[in-house]
Amino acid sequence: HFWRGQALAQEGRWAEALPSFRRATELQPQAATYHHGLAQALAQTRRLEEAATELEEAYRLDPQNARWHDELGATYQEMGV
């Protein structure tokens, strides 16, 4: 599911990628990368609050990943938080 979402995302088909990323996080909720993929798709479809939630989870699962922390900050800024 994750790789299907990635393939769709690479084609710019973010809305179509959402169900694949969602299913990937359901099947493997401890996979930080899957939450990050879902967050990207949500952000690209302007669902920023949901994107922030997924980025928070990705960062919680992998707190060493500074990029995700930066993306979370940028998402908050875009939300006006």
Side-chain angles (χ1 to χ4, degrees):
H1 295 279
F2 175 77
W3 295 113
R4 175 163 169 66
Q6 284 290 92
L8 291 166
Q10 286 180 344
E11 295 175 3
R13 297 163 59 186
W14 293 102
E16 292 175 64
L18 278 170
S20 295
F21 283 129
R22 243 186 238 295
R23 185 68 178 139
T25 62
E26 290 168 1
L27 292 172
Q28 293 188 333
Q30 297 302 315
T33 302
Y34 293 5
H35 288 280
H36 180 256
L38 178 55
Q40 286 183 310
L42 288 164
Q44 289 295 321
T45 56
R46 308 305 301 157
R47 296 165 66 173
L48 298 178
E49 287 184 30
E50 291 175 85
T53 299
E54 292 300 327
L55 282 168
E56 289 167 359
E57 183 63 8
Y59 187 66
R60 184 188 72 77
L61 293 167
D62 184 8
Q64 301 303 313
N65 193 319
R67 180 175 144 218
W68 296 347
H69 187 263
D70 291 345
E71 288 180 24
L72 181 58
T75 301
Y76 285 149
Q77 186 174 20
E78 199 166 342
M79 292 169 54
V81 176

